[in-house]
Structure formats: structure tokens, C-alpha cells
Amino acid sequence: MEAVAAIFGLLFLLLVAAGVFVTVKAVKAAKRGVDRGVAQARRTVEDTTLRARQFTQPGVAGELAQLRLSLRTSMRATQDALHTGAERDTSLTEALGLFERLSAHGHELDDELKRLEREPDKASITARLPELRERLERITHSAESLRWAARDRARQFADDDLAALGEQIDMEAGALRHWSKEPLEDRIEASGSASAAAGAGASGAAPEGAAGRKPWGPAEDEKPAITARDPRTQPTYAWQKAPRTERTT
């Protein structure tokens, strides 16, 4: 009895542990979903703010907003392209590692541009703009190289697969069209030969029948009697109506 109670107690503890594990997993998944939603909303708000500053604030503030917006747009496009391609092509793992290293430089530049937006000394910012543009161009150029290389690779794989599929379809279409094409003259000649052979066999068998026993047909000087066809035994076709029979009283 104590062993049964111990087993039930152990099962209860296992069920409780499983429930806690599943609950923790669900909470973490929900938290990750909420964090992604918040991060996406924050990025959308920041991008909208930068676009507004780019067109509404002239001078250094507008140029800083333009630099940040260009950096964020290029890095996000490269990230999406690499992650999408890595799901189908595992060889992009190394490219993802390189992009992570590049992202560190991109985040560093974005943070620096963000700090400069609150800098009151506009002259110092203006003096640093050429160096900031050069860093931005180097980072975005590297990001674009990775992005376009991943896209070209995916397009090449798609072209190769399409070419192989086209060859298979052409082979299958040729096999489907491979039927017997016997000329009409050959079929007519074969049919005529079969008819001539049948006629020769019939003519050779007739004298034997005449000498041995009375033929089933009428004599040469007798005319065959004309008998009416029985409508019940007359064959009908699908396009004909059934023959009408009159009742006899």
C-alpha cells in the first residue's frame, strides 16, 4: 500500500513539474513575442522621427538624421536577407557571423550619431561630419556586399533548379509524345493481304464440300425464298428507336 502511495505521489510531482515547465516556456515565449513587438514599434517610431527630422530640420540636425536613417535601413535590409537565405542555405552561416561583427560597428556609429543630436556645439559636429560619412559609407558598403552576394546566390540556385526542372519536363514531354506512327499505306497493304489469304482459303475448301455432302445453301437454279425479318431479333442501335410490334387479335 505504501508503494502505491509513493508511486502516485511521484506521478503527481512529475505532473506538477511538467506543468511548471510548460508554463515557464509559455511565459518566456510570450515575453519574447512582446519584446519583439515593442522593439518593432520602437524602431518604427524612431524611423518615422528620423524621416521627419530629415525634411523639417535643416543643417546639422537634418544631416545627422539622414545618416542614421541610411545606416539603419541598410543594416536592416542586409539582416533580413541573410536570415531569410540562411533558412534554406546553411553556407550563409559564416556570412551571418561577419554581419554580426559588422553590426557591432554599425551600432557604435548609430549611438555616436544619436549622442551628437543632443550636442549643442554645432561647429564641432560640422567638423566631424566628413569622418562620420566615411565610416557610414564603409559600413553600408560592406553590408550591401553581403546582401547582394546572398541574393545573387539564392537567384543562381533558383536558376539552376529551374533549368534542371525544364530538362526533366522536356524529357517527360518527349516520352509522352512517343507513340507508334505506322504509315497508312502499310496498314492498308496488310489489311489487303489478310483479305486475299482469307479468300484463297475459302475457294480451296469449296470443291471438297460439294463433293462430299450437300451444301447448306440453295441450288444454283433455285431462287432463295424471301422471308420477313422478325422485329424481335432485328438488331437495334443506340440512335434508333425500338421497333414497334402490333398486337394481333
Side-chain angles (χ1 to χ4, degrees):
M1 190 65 182
E2 293 178 357
V4 175
I7 292 174
F8 276 107
L10 182 60
L11 291 176
F12 178 75
L13 291 177
L14 290 176
L15 290 176
V16 171
V20 172
F21 178 76
V22 171
T23 304
V24 171
K25 284 289 187 180
V27 170
K28 288 183 178 180
K31 185 177 183 299
R32 287 195 298 267
V34 172
D35 293 341
R36 286 195 298 267
V38 172
Q40 181 65 29
R42 185 183 296 113
R43 287 194 298 267
T44 302
V45 172
E46 289 179 357
D47 291 346
T48 304
T49 304
L50 291 175
R51 289 190 181 92
R53 289 178 183 176
Q54 179 182 358
F55 294 106
T56 59
Q57 295 183 3
V60 177
E63 190 163 357
L64 289 175
Q66 181 180 2
L67 293 177
R68 288 191 64 195
L69 188 61
S70 300
L71 175 64
R72 294 161 67 92
T73 303
S74 178
M75 298 298 288
R76 189 176 301 122
T78 303
Q79 183 180 14
D80 294 341
L82 291 178
H83 280 284
T84 302
E87 295 177 357
R88 295 170 293 182
D89 188 2
T90 56
S91 61
L92 293 178
T93 305
E94 186 176 356
L96 281 173
L98 294 175
F99 177 75
E100 294 298 330
R101 294 173 56 187
L102 183 64
S103 296
H105 294 279
H107 287 302
E108 182 180 356
L109 178 59
D110 187 67
D111 293 338
E112 186 174 355
L113 292 173
K114 190 174 182 180
R115 287 193 300 269
L116 290 176
E117 289 178 349
R118 299 186 295 270
E119 177 65 37
D121 189 0
K122 304 300 180 182
S124 300
I125 299 175
T126 304
R128 293 195 57 188
L129 280 178
E131 185 265 335
L132 294 174
R133 291 195 196 96
E134 183 182 358
R135 287 177 59 189
L136 174 66
E137 290 177 359
R138 293 173 61 185
I139 294 174
T140 54
H141 176 72
S142 298
E144 289 174 359
S145 298
L146 287 175
R147 181 171 70 250
W148 285 109
R151 290 177 177 174
D152 292 342
R153 182 179 179 86
R155 184 171 58 252
Q156 183 63 38
F157 282 167
D159 292 341
D160 294 342
D161 184 68
L162 183 59
L165 181 61
E167 293 178 358
Q168 294 178 2
I169 290 175
D170 291 340
M171 292 176 61
E172 182 65 20
L176 292 175
R177 292 191 179 98
H178 185 70
W179 57 76
S180 178
K181 296 183 178 180
E182 185 181 0
L184 180 60
E185 292 80 0
D186 296 343
R187 285 181 287 175
I188 294 175
E189 183 178 356
S191 178
S193 300
S195 300
S203 61
E208 182 180 358
R213 57 181 179 270
K214 185 178 180 180
W216 295 104
E220 294 181 359
D221 56 348
E222 295 180 359
K223 294 183 179 180
I226 300 175
T227 57
R229 293 183 180 180
D230 189 355
R232 292 173 298 177
T233 60
Q234 185 178 357
T236 58
Y237 301 94
W239 58 85
Q240 293 178 342
K241 294 182 179 180
R244 298 177 59 184
T245 57
E246 297 181 359
R247 297 181 179 179
T248 57
T249 58

